[in-house]
Amino acid sequence: MSSPAEYYQSLPPISKAYGTLCLLFTAAYQLGVFDVVHIALIYKLVFSRFQVWRLITNFFFLGKFSINFGIRLLMIARYGVQLEKGPFDRRTADFLWMILFGAFSMLVLSAIPIFWSPFLGISLVFMLVYVWSREFPNAQINIYGLVTLKAFYLPWAMLALDVIFGSPLMPDLLGIIAGHLYYFLTVLHPLATGKTLLKTPRWVHKLVARWRIGAPAPTNNRVQPERTTGTAFRGRSYRLND
């Protein structure tokens, strides 16, 4: 059985970095290092006082230490890690681009008053859950020991539970919208038309290569995802290409 330090070291880079930053931001808040009002997404201050850091910092606050905070952190550790080690294995640039595209989509949607939320970290975590549910749609998930269902339905079940327990609806819904937009542009639309509308920009690949983030993509015997056709309930299968 591995130690906590060994487990932490084994985590893939993007999920590990994001989870660590979320933990550090909450710890700093609990210690009184800053007030959350200084990192919240407030567009008026972004544009009138050029406090552009708010466009980034709001994604790293998942709330104060609580059961809900622990659940969100565990969601990163499970669903984010499984995505990065599975469908995005040796595709660190693609995984990073998914995160960046999702964050940008949420910022745009949050400019609409009905979608606005001061902190989009929960939405970003929910996006990871949604994409995971589409990649592993037939996995069996047990929720709090009460009900077992297919992973395809997990985001909606989690959204319903959050509403029942009194959490805001919009952050979860925003994550689902951003996740579906990404999955539609990168999987569903290419399957239907043969054309890919959203590709990882070259500068993201260069950034990952320059900073040596994650394992390099192999040049031979690459494990590439094969999109399956037909039903929306299927995820991807994987084969070893020559």
Side-chain angles (χ1 to χ4, degrees):
M1 184 175 182
S2 61
S3 67
E6 290 173 334
Y7 169 75
Y8 180 78
Q9 290 299 324
S10 71
L11 296 176
I14 305 302
S15 298
K16 178 166 65 175
Y18 182 58
T20 300
L21 285 170
C22 289
L23 179 61
L24 291 177
F25 265 67
T26 294
Y29 163 71
Q30 295 286 159
L31 293 172
V33 175
F34 61 80
D35 193 316
V36 290
V37 72
H38 298 304
I39 64 171
L41 179 61
I42 303 175
Y43 280 108
K44 181 179 179 180
L45 297 178
V46 170
F47 294 110
S48 65
R49 299 188 181 181
F50 302 103
Q51 296 180 1
V52 294
W53 66 82
R54 295 176 180 274
L55 298 174
I56 301 174
T57 55
N58 78 91
F59 286 101
F60 300 117
F61 187 70
L62 299 178
K64 62 183 181 180
F65 285 132
S66 63
I67 293 178
N68 283 337
F69 171 82
I71 291 174
R72 304 303 180 190
L73 209 59
L74 287 174
M75 290 166 76
I76 298 173
R78 177 173 184 178
Y79 304 117
V81 167
Q82 286 188 9
L83 279 175
E84 202 169 349
K85 285 186 173 182
F88 290 91
D89 184 37
R90 293 184 178 271
R91 297 173 56 214
T92 303
D94 294 334
F95 188 76
L96 177 59
W97 175 241
M98 180 188 73
I99 298 292
L100 294 175
F101 175 81
F104 178 76
S105 301
M106 293 171 197
L107 289 173
V108 172
L109 289 171
S110 290
I112 304 173
I114 191 176
F115 287 120
W116 178 80
S117 177
F119 301 102
L120 297 176
I122 292 176
S123 300
L124 192 58
V125 172
F126 229 80
M127 176 186 171
L128 292 175
V129 174
Y130 181 85
V131 175
W132 179 88
S133 74
R134 300 304 300 261
E135 294 288 0
F136 303 95
N138 295 315
Q140 295 295 312
I141 299 295
N142 186 280
I143 299 181
Y144 302 137
L146 299 176
V147 62
T148 299
L149 70 162
K150 287 187 175 182
F152 184 86
Y153 302 105
L154 178 62
W156 306 103
M158 295 297 295
L159 183 148
L161 286 174
D162 280 350
V163 172
I164 291 173
F165 291 137
S167 298
L169 167 69
M170 202 51 65
D172 294 358
L173 189 59
L174 194 60
I176 290 176
I177 293 172
H180 184 74
L181 179 61
Y182 173 82
Y183 198 78
F184 173 81
L185 294 175
T186 60
V187 179
L188 299 181
H189 186 269
L191 279 177
T193 65
K195 298 179 181 179
T196 302
L197 296 179
L198 183 67
K199 295 181 179 181
T200 303
R202 186 177 298 272
W203 65 267
V204 179
H205 287 284
K206 290 182 177 180
L207 178 68
V208 168
R210 182 172 184 178
W211 290 93
R212 298 179 181 179
I213 304 172
T219 55
N220 296 313
N221 294 330
R222 291 185 297 174
V223 178
Q224 294 181 337
E226 178 189 3
R227 263 85 171 188
T228 57
T229 57
T231 173
F233 285 84
R234 292 180 182 173
R236 297 188 238 193
S237 59
Y238 299 88
R239 69 181 181 186
L240 188 65
N241 290 339
D242 293 329

